[in-house]
Amino acid sequence: DVEAGQEVEITFVYGDGDFDENNPHIIAIPDYGLETGVLDRENPEVTVSFTAGSAGEVVAFTCIRTACVGHAPNLQGGTIVIQPGS
């Protein structure tokens, strides 16, 4: 959870080092028009930032790459819930 109007910084870390092959991901936060670019063994960390919107908003992030080895499409992801500011 984050507060409305708060500056949010998220670092995505590549976690597929146990695969025999490189398994790139591209994480997107569509509501804010953000994408990480390629996240893989050569680029293992990518940080994005945005200003949280309105209280009650649920912001989804997900992998938009359709060819992730060993994962169903859009498996990597989550949500951020925006709370009222203090």
Side-chain angles (χ1 to χ4, degrees):
D1 292 359
V2 299
E3 292 184 1
Q6 180 180 3
E7 186 67 21
V8 179
E9 184 174 276
I10 302 173
T11 299
F12 295 97
V13 179
Y14 181 70
D16 287 340
D18 56 342
F19 282 110
D20 291 334
E21 61 185 272
N22 199 12
N23 189 26
H25 300 288
I26 300 171
I27 307 297
I29 305 174
D31 291 344
Y32 288 85
L34 297 172
E35 289 185 12
T36 61
V38 175
L39 184 64
D40 62 7
R41 287 181 181 161
E42 294 177 13
N43 303 295
E45 288 189 14
V46 179
T47 300
V48 297
S49 61
F50 61 93
T51 302
S54 303
E57 182 179 3
V58 177
V59 179
F61 58 91
T62 188
C63 180
I64 58 171
R65 190 166 179 274
T66 58
C68 299
V69 176
H71 301 291
N74 302 319
L75 177 64
Q76 298 79 11
T79 57
I80 300 165
V81 178
I82 301 178
Q83 301 296 328
S86 51

PDB file of all heavy atoms in Angstrom, residues 32-66:
ATOM      1  N   TYR A  32      -0.058   3.798 -15.634  1.00  0.00           N
ATOM      2  CA  TYR A  32       0.872   4.922 -15.588  1.00  0.00           C
ATOM      3  C   TYR A  32       1.762   4.988 -16.826  1.00  0.00           C
ATOM      4  O   TYR A  32       2.703   5.782 -16.888  1.00  0.00           O
ATOM      5  CB  TYR A  32       1.715   4.858 -14.310  1.00  0.00           C
ATOM      6  CG  TYR A  32       0.893   5.207 -13.093  1.00  0.00           C
ATOM      7  CD1 TYR A  32       0.136   4.246 -12.439  1.00  0.00           C
ATOM      8  CD2 TYR A  32       0.844   6.512 -12.622  1.00  0.00           C
ATOM      9  CE1 TYR A  32      -0.643   4.567 -11.342  1.00  0.00           C
ATOM     10  CE2 TYR A  32       0.066   6.847 -11.532  1.00  0.00           C
ATOM     11  CZ  TYR A  32      -0.674   5.867 -10.891  1.00  0.00           C
ATOM     12  OH  TYR A  32      -1.460   6.194  -9.804  1.00  0.00           O
ATOM     13  N   GLY A  33       1.482   4.138 -17.812  1.00  0.00           N
ATOM     14  CA  GLY A  33       2.237   4.154 -19.059  1.00  0.00           C
ATOM     15  C   GLY A  33       3.703   3.787 -18.896  1.00  0.00           C
ATOM     16  O   GLY A  33       4.554   4.252 -19.645  1.00  0.00           O
ATOM     17  N   LEU A  34       4.004   2.914 -17.929  1.00  0.00           N
ATOM     18  CA  LEU A  34       5.394   2.556 -17.643  1.00  0.00           C
ATOM     19  C   LEU A  34       5.710   1.132 -18.078  1.00  0.00           C
ATOM     20  O   LEU A  34       4.878   0.232 -17.951  1.00  0.00           O
ATOM     21  CB  LEU A  34       5.666   2.678 -16.144  1.00  0.00           C
ATOM     22  CG  LEU A  34       5.542   4.069 -15.543  1.00  0.00           C
ATOM     23  CD1 LEU A  34       5.644   3.990 -14.028  1.00  0.00           C
ATOM     24  CD2 LEU A  34       6.602   4.988 -16.100  1.00  0.00           C
ATOM     25  N   GLU A  35       6.925   0.949 -18.574  1.00  0.00           N
ATOM     26  CA  GLU A  35       7.470  -0.378 -18.864  1.00  0.00           C
ATOM     27  C   GLU A  35       8.919  -0.394 -18.428  1.00  0.00           C
ATOM     28  O   GLU A  35       9.612   0.618 -18.513  1.00  0.00           O
ATOM     29  CB  GLU A  35       7.400  -0.696 -20.356  1.00  0.00           C
ATOM     30  CG  GLU A  35       6.017  -0.948 -20.873  1.00  0.00           C
ATOM     31  CD  GLU A  35       6.003  -1.375 -22.339  1.00  0.00           C
ATOM     32  OE1 GLU A  35       7.078  -1.700 -22.893  1.00  0.00           O
ATOM     33  OE2 GLU A  35       4.914  -1.369 -22.907  1.00  0.00           O
ATOM     34  N   THR A  36       9.403  -1.553 -17.992  1.00  0.00           N
ATOM     35  CA  THR A  36      10.780  -1.663 -17.516  1.00  0.00           C
ATOM     36  C   THR A  36      11.800  -1.768 -18.623  1.00  0.00           C
ATOM     37  O   THR A  36      12.981  -1.569 -18.385  1.00  0.00           O
ATOM     38  CB  THR A  36      10.946  -2.909 -16.631  1.00  0.00           C
ATOM     39  OG1 THR A  36      10.641  -4.076 -17.415  1.00  0.00           O
ATOM     40  CG2 THR A  36      10.095  -2.835 -15.384  1.00  0.00           C
ATOM     41  N   GLY A  37      11.392  -2.120 -19.820  1.00  0.00           N
ATOM     42  CA  GLY A  37      12.369  -2.566 -20.805  1.00  0.00           C
ATOM     43  C   GLY A  37      12.716  -3.997 -20.428  1.00  0.00           C
ATOM     44  O   GLY A  37      12.101  -4.586 -19.542  1.00  0.00           O
ATOM     45  N   VAL A  38      13.694  -4.568 -21.075  1.00  0.00           N
ATOM     46  CA  VAL A  38      14.022  -5.979 -20.855  1.00  0.00           C
ATOM     47  C   VAL A  38      14.697  -6.168 -19.496  1.00  0.00           C
ATOM     48  O   VAL A  38      15.647  -5.483 -19.154  1.00  0.00           O
ATOM     49  CB  VAL A  38      14.917  -6.519 -21.979  1.00  0.00           C
ATOM     50  CG1 VAL A  38      15.364  -7.937 -21.682  1.00  0.00           C
ATOM     51  CG2 VAL A  38      14.178  -6.464 -23.309  1.00  0.00           C
ATOM     52  N   LEU A  39      14.165  -7.102 -18.743  1.00  0.00           N
ATOM     53  CA  LEU A  39      14.706  -7.507 -17.455  1.00  0.00           C
ATOM     54  C   LEU A  39      15.195  -8.939 -17.640  1.00  0.00           C
ATOM     55  O   LEU A  39      14.393  -9.843 -17.896  1.00  0.00           O
ATOM     56  CB  LEU A  39      13.596  -7.438 -16.403  1.00  0.00           C
ATOM     57  CG  LEU A  39      13.927  -7.720 -14.958  1.00  0.00           C
ATOM     58  CD1 LEU A  39      14.886  -6.664 -14.420  1.00  0.00           C
ATOM     59  CD2 LEU A  39      12.653  -7.726 -14.130  1.00  0.00           C
ATOM     60  N   ASP A  40      16.521  -9.143 -17.572  1.00  0.00           N
ATOM     61  CA  ASP A  40      17.087 -10.464 -17.829  1.00  0.00           C
ATOM     62  C   ASP A  40      18.436 -10.592 -17.131  1.00  0.00           C
ATOM     63  O   ASP A  40      18.789  -9.753 -16.310  1.00  0.00           O
ATOM     64  CB  ASP A  40      17.197 -10.737 -19.330  1.00  0.00           C
ATOM     65  CG  ASP A  40      18.128  -9.778 -20.064  1.00  0.00           C
ATOM     66  OD1 ASP A  40      18.824  -8.958 -19.419  1.00  0.00           O
ATOM     67  OD2 ASP A  40      18.169  -9.850 -21.313  1.00  0.00           O
ATOM     68  N   ARG A  41      19.202 -11.621 -17.478  1.00  0.00           N
ATOM     69  CA  ARG A  41      20.506 -11.837 -16.841  1.00  0.00           C
ATOM     70  C   ARG A  41      21.462 -10.674 -17.069  1.00  0.00           C
ATOM     71  O   ARG A  41      22.274 -10.350 -16.202  1.00  0.00           O
ATOM     72  CB  ARG A  41      21.138 -13.130 -17.350  1.00  0.00           C
ATOM     73  CG  ARG A  41      20.465 -14.353 -16.809  1.00  0.00           C
ATOM     74  CD  ARG A  41      21.138 -15.607 -17.312  1.00  0.00           C
ATOM     75  NE  ARG A  41      20.436 -16.770 -16.790  1.00  0.00           N
ATOM     76  CZ  ARG A  41      20.519 -17.982 -17.289  1.00  0.00           C
ATOM     77  NH1 ARG A  41      21.301 -18.206 -18.334  1.00  0.00           N
ATOM     78  NH2 ARG A  41      19.860 -18.973 -16.760  1.00  0.00           N
ATOM     79  N   GLU A  42      21.391 -10.056 -18.222  1.00  0.00           N
ATOM     80  CA  GLU A  42      22.290  -8.939 -18.534  1.00  0.00           C
ATOM     81  C   GLU A  42      21.810  -7.624 -17.918  1.00  0.00           C
ATOM     82  O   GLU A  42      22.603  -6.717 -17.715  1.00  0.00           O
ATOM     83  CB  GLU A  42      22.449  -8.805 -20.040  1.00  0.00           C
ATOM     84  CG  GLU A  42      23.166  -9.992 -20.661  1.00  0.00           C
ATOM     85  CD  GLU A  42      23.247  -9.892 -22.165  1.00  0.00           C
ATOM     86  OE1 GLU A  42      22.978  -8.809 -22.723  1.00  0.00           O
ATOM     87  OE2 GLU A  42      23.575 -10.913 -22.797  1.00  0.00           O
ATOM     88  N   ASN A  43      20.521  -7.502 -17.674  1.00  0.00           N
ATOM     89  CA  ASN A  43      19.907  -6.323 -17.061  1.00  0.00           C
ATOM     90  C   ASN A  43      19.054  -6.804 -15.896  1.00  0.00           C
ATOM     91  O   ASN A  43      17.825  -6.858 -15.994  1.00  0.00           O
ATOM     92  CB  ASN A  43      19.030  -5.584 -18.077  1.00  0.00           C
ATOM     93  CG  ASN A  43      19.805  -5.176 -19.300  1.00  0.00           C
ATOM     94  OD1 ASN A  43      20.694  -4.364 -19.218  1.00  0.00           O
ATOM     95  ND2 ASN A  43      19.479  -5.786 -20.437  1.00  0.00           N
ATOM     96  N   PRO A  44      19.691  -7.202 -14.761  1.00  0.00           N
ATOM     97  CA  PRO A  44      18.968  -7.892 -13.694  1.00  0.00           C
ATOM     98  C   PRO A  44      18.121  -7.005 -12.776  1.00  0.00           C
ATOM     99  O   PRO A  44      17.329  -7.523 -12.007  1.00  0.00           O
ATOM    100  CB  PRO A  44      20.080  -8.569 -12.896  1.00  0.00           C
ATOM    101  CG  PRO A  44      21.272  -7.708 -13.120  1.00  0.00           C
ATOM    102  CD  PRO A  44      21.136  -7.183 -14.513  1.00  0.00           C
ATOM    103  N   GLU A  45      18.272  -5.685 -12.856  1.00  0.00           N
ATOM    104  CA  GLU A  45      17.457  -4.796 -12.030  1.00  0.00           C
ATOM    105  C   GLU A  45      17.025  -3.587 -12.842  1.00  0.00           C
ATOM    106  O   GLU A  45      17.836  -3.007 -13.569  1.00  0.00           O
ATOM    107  CB  GLU A  45      18.233  -4.281 -10.815  1.00  0.00           C
ATOM    108  CG  GLU A  45      18.466  -5.304  -9.759  1.00  0.00           C
ATOM    109  CD  GLU A  45      19.052  -4.699  -8.487  1.00  0.00           C
ATOM    110  OE1 GLU A  45      19.034  -3.462  -8.328  1.00  0.00           O
ATOM    111  OE2 GLU A  45      19.525  -5.487  -7.655  1.00  0.00           O
ATOM    112  N   VAL A  46      15.752  -3.240 -12.722  1.00  0.00           N
ATOM    113  CA  VAL A  46      15.221  -2.050 -13.382  1.00  0.00           C
ATOM    114  C   VAL A  46      14.320  -1.340 -12.381  1.00  0.00           C
ATOM    115  O   VAL A  46      13.466  -1.965 -11.748  1.00  0.00           O
ATOM    116  CB  VAL A  46      14.416  -2.406 -14.651  1.00  0.00           C
ATOM    117  CG1 VAL A  46      13.856  -1.155 -15.297  1.00  0.00           C
ATOM    118  CG2 VAL A  46      15.273  -3.174 -15.647  1.00  0.00           C
ATOM    119  N   THR A  47      14.524  -0.027 -12.233  1.00  0.00           N
ATOM    120  CA  THR A  47      13.720   0.765 -11.314  1.00  0.00           C
ATOM    121  C   THR A  47      12.820   1.708 -12.097  1.00  0.00           C
ATOM    122  O   THR A  47      13.267   2.348 -13.057  1.00  0.00           O
ATOM    123  CB  THR A  47      14.627   1.576 -10.373  1.00  0.00           C
ATOM    124  OG1 THR A  47      15.447   0.661  -9.631  1.00  0.00           O
ATOM    125  CG2 THR A  47      13.822   2.419  -9.406  1.00  0.00           C
ATOM    126  N   VAL A  48      11.554   1.771 -11.709  1.00  0.00           N
ATOM    127  CA  VAL A  48      10.600   2.728 -12.280  1.00  0.00           C
ATOM    128  C   VAL A  48      10.020   3.548 -11.139  1.00  0.00           C
ATOM    129  O   VAL A  48      10.005   3.105  -9.984  1.00  0.00           O
ATOM    130  CB  VAL A  48       9.471   2.041 -13.076  1.00  0.00           C
ATOM    131  CG1 VAL A  48      10.028   1.290 -14.276  1.00  0.00           C
ATOM    132  CG2 VAL A  48       8.660   1.100 -12.210  1.00  0.00           C
ATOM    133  N   SER A  49       9.537   4.734 -11.448  1.00  0.00           N
ATOM    134  CA  SER A  49       8.913   5.558 -10.412  1.00  0.00           C
ATOM    135  C   SER A  49       7.720   6.300 -10.990  1.00  0.00           C
ATOM    136  O   SER A  49       7.645   6.552 -12.200  1.00  0.00           O
ATOM    137  CB  SER A  49       9.922   6.530  -9.813  1.00  0.00           C
ATOM    138  OG  SER A  49      10.412   7.400 -10.794  1.00  0.00           O
ATOM    139  N   PHE A  50       6.782   6.625 -10.104  1.00  0.00           N
ATOM    140  CA  PHE A  50       5.590   7.376 -10.489  1.00  0.00           C
ATOM    141  C   PHE A  50       5.001   8.005  -9.240  1.00  0.00           C
ATOM    142  O   PHE A  50       5.345   7.635  -8.118  1.00  0.00           O
ATOM    143  CB  PHE A  50       4.558   6.480 -11.184  1.00  0.00           C
ATOM    144  CG  PHE A  50       4.036   5.349 -10.338  1.00  0.00           C
ATOM    145  CD1 PHE A  50       2.871   5.501  -9.597  1.00  0.00           C
ATOM    146  CD2 PHE A  50       4.688   4.132 -10.289  1.00  0.00           C
ATOM    147  CE1 PHE A  50       2.377   4.457  -8.813  1.00  0.00           C
ATOM    148  CE2 PHE A  50       4.211   3.084  -9.514  1.00  0.00           C
ATOM    149  CZ  PHE A  50       3.051   3.247  -8.779  1.00  0.00           C
ATOM    150  N   THR A  51       4.110   8.953  -9.431  1.00  0.00           N
ATOM    151  CA  THR A  51       3.398   9.573  -8.321  1.00  0.00           C
ATOM    152  C   THR A  51       2.051   8.877  -8.188  1.00  0.00           C
ATOM    153  O   THR A  51       1.280   8.817  -9.156  1.00  0.00           O
ATOM    154  CB  THR A  51       3.197  11.080  -8.568  1.00  0.00           C
ATOM    155  OG1 THR A  51       4.483  11.677  -8.748  1.00  0.00           O
ATOM    156  CG2 THR A  51       2.491  11.730  -7.396  1.00  0.00           C
ATOM    157  N   ALA A  52       1.773   8.345  -7.002  1.00  0.00           N
ATOM    158  CA  ALA A  52       0.529   7.601  -6.766  1.00  0.00           C
ATOM    159  C   ALA A  52      -0.678   8.509  -6.990  1.00  0.00           C
ATOM    160  O   ALA A  52      -0.680   9.672  -6.605  1.00  0.00           O
ATOM    161  CB  ALA A  52       0.511   7.051  -5.346  1.00  0.00           C
ATOM    162  N   GLY A  53      -1.692   7.948  -7.582  1.00  0.00           N
ATOM    163  CA  GLY A  53      -2.906   8.690  -7.904  1.00  0.00           C
ATOM    164  C   GLY A  53      -3.869   8.776  -6.742  1.00  0.00           C
ATOM    165  O   GLY A  53      -3.480   8.999  -5.599  1.00  0.00           O
ATOM    166  N   SER A  54      -5.137   8.539  -7.020  1.00  0.00           N
ATOM    167  CA  SER A  54      -6.219   8.738  -6.057  1.00  0.00           C
ATOM    168  C   SER A  54      -6.371   7.577  -5.082  1.00  0.00           C
ATOM    169  O   SER A  54      -6.132   6.419  -5.434  1.00  0.00           O
ATOM    170  CB  SER A  54      -7.539   8.907  -6.803  1.00  0.00           C
ATOM    171  OG  SER A  54      -7.458   9.979  -7.708  1.00  0.00           O
ATOM    172  N   ALA A  55      -6.811   7.910  -3.876  1.00  0.00           N
ATOM    173  CA  ALA A  55      -7.103   6.883  -2.871  1.00  0.00           C
ATOM    174  C   ALA A  55      -8.132   5.902  -3.409  1.00  0.00           C
ATOM    175  O   ALA A  55      -9.072   6.281  -4.100  1.00  0.00           O
ATOM    176  CB  ALA A  55      -7.615   7.531  -1.590  1.00  0.00           C
ATOM    177  N   GLY A  56      -7.923   4.645  -3.127  1.00  0.00           N
ATOM    178  CA  GLY A  56      -8.821   3.590  -3.583  1.00  0.00           C
ATOM    179  C   GLY A  56      -8.402   2.974  -4.903  1.00  0.00           C
ATOM    180  O   GLY A  56      -8.887   1.908  -5.279  1.00  0.00           O
ATOM    181  N   GLU A  57      -7.499   3.609  -5.606  1.00  0.00           N
ATOM    182  CA  GLU A  57      -7.022   3.086  -6.883  1.00  0.00           C
ATOM    183  C   GLU A  57      -6.193   1.826  -6.635  1.00  0.00           C
ATOM    184  O   GLU A  57      -5.427   1.750  -5.684  1.00  0.00           O
ATOM    185  CB  GLU A  57      -6.170   4.147  -7.581  1.00  0.00           C
ATOM    186  CG  GLU A  57      -5.659   3.754  -8.945  1.00  0.00           C
ATOM    187  CD  GLU A  57      -4.827   4.868  -9.586  1.00  0.00           C
ATOM    188  OE1 GLU A  57      -4.583   5.923  -8.966  1.00  0.00           O
ATOM    189  OE2 GLU A  57      -4.394   4.645 -10.715  1.00  0.00           O
ATOM    190  N   VAL A  58      -6.378   0.836  -7.478  1.00  0.00           N
ATOM    191  CA  VAL A  58      -5.577  -0.385  -7.437  1.00  0.00           C
ATOM    192  C   VAL A  58      -4.773  -0.422  -8.730  1.00  0.00           C
ATOM    193  O   VAL A  58      -5.337  -0.467  -9.818  1.00  0.00           O
ATOM    194  CB  VAL A  58      -6.459  -1.645  -7.304  1.00  0.00           C
ATOM    195  CG1 VAL A  58      -5.603  -2.905  -7.330  1.00  0.00           C
ATOM    196  CG2 VAL A  58      -7.287  -1.582  -6.034  1.00  0.00           C
ATOM    197  N   VAL A  59      -3.470  -0.353  -8.595  1.00  0.00           N
ATOM    198  CA  VAL A  59      -2.570  -0.268  -9.740  1.00  0.00           C
ATOM    199  C   VAL A  59      -1.952  -1.645  -9.971  1.00  0.00           C
ATOM    200  O   VAL A  59      -1.285  -2.185  -9.091  1.00  0.00           O
ATOM    201  CB  VAL A  59      -1.461   0.777  -9.482  1.00  0.00           C
ATOM    202  CG1 VAL A  59      -0.515   0.857 -10.662  1.00  0.00           C
ATOM    203  CG2 VAL A  59      -2.072   2.136  -9.162  1.00  0.00           C
ATOM    204  N   ALA A  60      -2.182  -2.193 -11.147  1.00  0.00           N
ATOM    205  CA  ALA A  60      -1.662  -3.520 -11.473  1.00  0.00           C
ATOM    206  C   ALA A  60      -0.345  -3.404 -12.222  1.00  0.00           C
ATOM    207  O   ALA A  60      -0.142  -2.490 -13.014  1.00  0.00           O
ATOM    208  CB  ALA A  60      -2.663  -4.275 -12.330  1.00  0.00           C
ATOM    209  N   PHE A  61       0.574  -4.349 -11.940  1.00  0.00           N
ATOM    210  CA  PHE A  61       1.779  -4.480 -12.754  1.00  0.00           C
ATOM    211  C   PHE A  61       1.909  -5.942 -13.137  1.00  0.00           C
ATOM    212  O   PHE A  61       1.540  -6.841 -12.380  1.00  0.00           O
ATOM    213  CB  PHE A  61       3.028  -3.946 -12.046  1.00  0.00           C
ATOM    214  CG  PHE A  61       3.336  -4.592 -10.720  1.00  0.00           C
ATOM    215  CD1 PHE A  61       4.162  -5.701 -10.639  1.00  0.00           C
ATOM    216  CD2 PHE A  61       2.805  -4.070  -9.551  1.00  0.00           C
ATOM    217  CE1 PHE A  61       4.462  -6.283  -9.413  1.00  0.00           C
ATOM    218  CE2 PHE A  61       3.104  -4.639  -8.323  1.00  0.00           C
ATOM    219  CZ  PHE A  61       3.925  -5.740  -8.251  1.00  0.00           C
ATOM    220  N   THR A  62       2.415  -6.188 -14.353  1.00  0.00           N
ATOM    221  CA  THR A  62       2.496  -7.548 -14.858  1.00  0.00           C
ATOM    222  C   THR A  62       3.549  -7.650 -15.950  1.00  0.00           C
ATOM    223  O   THR A  62       3.919  -6.648 -16.559  1.00  0.00           O
ATOM    224  CB  THR A  62       1.130  -8.013 -15.412  1.00  0.00           C
ATOM    225  OG1 THR A  62       1.194  -9.393 -15.729  1.00  0.00           O
ATOM    226  CG2 THR A  62       0.717  -7.238 -16.641  1.00  0.00           C
ATOM    227  N   CYS A  63       4.020  -8.867 -16.191  1.00  0.00           N
ATOM    228  CA  CYS A  63       4.927  -9.112 -17.307  1.00  0.00           C
ATOM    229  C   CYS A  63       4.099  -9.121 -18.591  1.00  0.00           C
ATOM    230  O   CYS A  63       3.084  -9.813 -18.676  1.00  0.00           O
ATOM    231  CB  CYS A  63       5.644 -10.452 -17.149  1.00  0.00           C
ATOM    232  SG  CYS A  63       6.773 -10.802 -18.522  1.00  0.00           S
ATOM    233  N   ILE A  64       4.538  -8.332 -19.567  1.00  0.00           N
ATOM    234  CA  ILE A  64       3.793  -8.274 -20.826  1.00  0.00           C
ATOM    235  C   ILE A  64       4.468  -9.067 -21.938  1.00  0.00           C
ATOM    236  O   ILE A  64       3.978  -9.108 -23.052  1.00  0.00           O
ATOM    237  CB  ILE A  64       3.564  -6.816 -21.276  1.00  0.00           C
ATOM    238  CG1 ILE A  64       4.895  -6.079 -21.446  1.00  0.00           C
ATOM    239  CG2 ILE A  64       2.655  -6.104 -20.282  1.00  0.00           C
ATOM    240  CD1 ILE A  64       4.764  -4.708 -22.091  1.00  0.00           C
ATOM    241  N   ARG A  65       5.573  -9.703 -21.616  1.00  0.00           N
ATOM    242  CA  ARG A  65       6.248 -10.541 -22.613  1.00  0.00           C
ATOM    243  C   ARG A  65       5.493 -11.860 -22.698  1.00  0.00           C
ATOM    244  O   ARG A  65       5.244 -12.505 -21.687  1.00  0.00           O
ATOM    245  CB  ARG A  65       7.703 -10.779 -22.207  1.00  0.00           C
ATOM    246  CG  ARG A  65       8.507 -11.415 -23.297  1.00  0.00           C
ATOM    247  CD  ARG A  65      10.002 -11.315 -22.993  1.00  0.00           C
ATOM    248  NE  ARG A  65      10.735 -11.953 -24.053  1.00  0.00           N
ATOM    249  CZ  ARG A  65      10.998 -13.257 -24.093  1.00  0.00           C
ATOM    250  NH1 ARG A  65      10.581 -14.048 -23.126  1.00  0.00           N
ATOM    251  NH2 ARG A  65      11.675 -13.768 -25.096  1.00  0.00           N
ATOM    252  N   THR A  66       5.131 -12.271 -23.891  1.00  0.00           N
ATOM    253  CA  THR A  66       4.273 -13.452 -24.056  1.00  0.00           C
ATOM    254  C   THR A  66       5.040 -14.766 -24.135  1.00  0.00           C
ATOM    255  O   THR A  66       4.429 -15.824 -24.148  1.00  0.00           O
ATOM    256  CB  THR A  66       3.414 -13.313 -25.329  1.00  0.00           C
ATOM    257  OG1 THR A  66       4.282 -13.136 -26.452  1.00  0.00           O
ATOM    258  CG2 THR A  66       2.462 -12.140 -25.196  1.00  0.00           C
TER     259      THR A  66
END
